[in-house]
Amino acid sequence: MELPTELSSYVRVLKLASTPSYTEFSQIAKIAGAGIVIVGILGFIIAQLMGFLVVSFIQDAATGAALAPW
C-alpha cells in the first residue's frame, strides 16, 4: 500500500469533481424523490396486504374455520 500513489489518485478525483448546476441537481432530486415515493407506496401496499392476511388468519383460527389449501 503506497501512500503517495493512493493520495495522488484521491487528489485527481477531487480535481475532476465539480458542483452540479441547478438543472442537474433538480433532475437528480426529482428522480431520487420519485424513487423514495415508489418504495414507500410498495411498502405500504405490502404492509396492508400482510395486515389483511394476518387478520383473516386470526379470524379463521378463532372461528375454527378450515384454512384455505394453498
Side-chain angles (χ1 to χ4, degrees):
M1 180 167 112
E2 291 184 37
L3 188 60
T5 305
E6 288 184 15
L7 189 61
S8 66
S9 66
Y10 295 147
V11 170
R12 184 177 51 128
V13 168
L14 287 175
K15 284 182 181 179
L16 289 174
S18 64
T19 303
S21 66
Y22 176 78
T23 56
E24 199 174 23
F25 177 78
S26 65
Q27 184 178 15
I28 292 170
K30 287 176 188 175
I31 293 170
I36 291 170
V37 168
I38 289 171
V39 168
I41 290 170
L42 285 174
F44 179 77
I45 291 171
I46 291 171
Q48 292 298 314
L49 181 63
M50 293 302 292
F52 173 74
L53 291 175
V54 168
V55 167
S56 65
F57 178 76
I58 290 173
Q59 287 175 349
D60 287 344
T63 59
L67 295 176
W70 55 70

